[in-house]
Amino acid sequence: MTEPTIDGLLKKAESHALNGDWQSTIDSMKQVLKLDPYHSAANRTIGTLLLETGDPSGAIPFLRRCLADEPGNEEASAALARAFAQSGQLKEAEKTLMGLLDENPENRTALNLLAQTLILQDDRVTEAVQILAALVQTDPTDPEALYLMGKVYQSAGDMDSAGDMFQQILRHHPGDERASAALAELRQAPEITAPSNGAEARPGIL
């Protein structure tokens, strides 16, 4: 019987991924790791898929091994920060993101993730808002920063300003399903109603 090779297993994993079979993709990548425990792509793929399928704690060791081999991999670092945050390890998430920002202080992905991590800490929401405001100022079309700002406003009970953030996303990204769902949720409340003449509602601060 022919022994499996890394190239063959990677092709098998790719085929599973194209079919949307994430568990089989993970299984094939784990076979790669039996041959090369620090295979960067395999560790990153497994970690990312575990994160996206609801197992952030399980993702952490694979993403760490990826970064041991590729310490400058931004994709793996961002995924690791998300895994830490979703596992409740907020300080570790912040530490990981600060590492990315040390390399590039203008890394928008890291800044958005840092703001999201800070929002989860009641005593640091103001810091998050400052980061998000700066991101929106430099790019008023940034859907992630606008969405997070909207959710902060919503949590604070400022539905008009929240609605404005979600509408701003849709003006620049009309197909954004997350913003559409958030705005529809707000419009069910008395504070935000669509005008009877069919014109766009204009709640908020801008």
Side-chain angles (χ1 to χ4, degrees), residues 51-108:
L51 175 62
E52 297 298 338
T53 55
D55 185 7
S57 296
I60 290 171
F62 293 99
L63 293 169
R64 277 181 156 162
R65 279 198 291 272
C66 171
L67 288 166
D69 186 58
E70 289 187 88
N73 190 304
E74 290 189 14
E75 179 185 345
S77 292
L80 180 60
R82 288 177 56 210
F84 279 135
Q86 291 180 25
S87 300
Q89 301 180 58
L90 301 181
K91 296 302 180 186
E92 289 296 323
E94 185 175 351
K95 180 181 177 182
T96 303
L97 293 168
M98 293 307 296
L100 282 174
L101 291 170
D102 284 344
E103 294 292 324
N104 177 12
E106 298 181 359
N107 185 322
R108 297 185 70 88

Side-chain angles (χ1 to χ4, degrees), residues 153 158-165 167 191-192 201-206:
Y153 282 129
D158 185 351
M159 302 307 180
D160 284 351
S161 295
D164 187 85
M165 295 295 102
Q167 285 185 330
E191 292 85 353
I192 298 180
R202 292 286 300 159
I205 59 179
L206 297 183

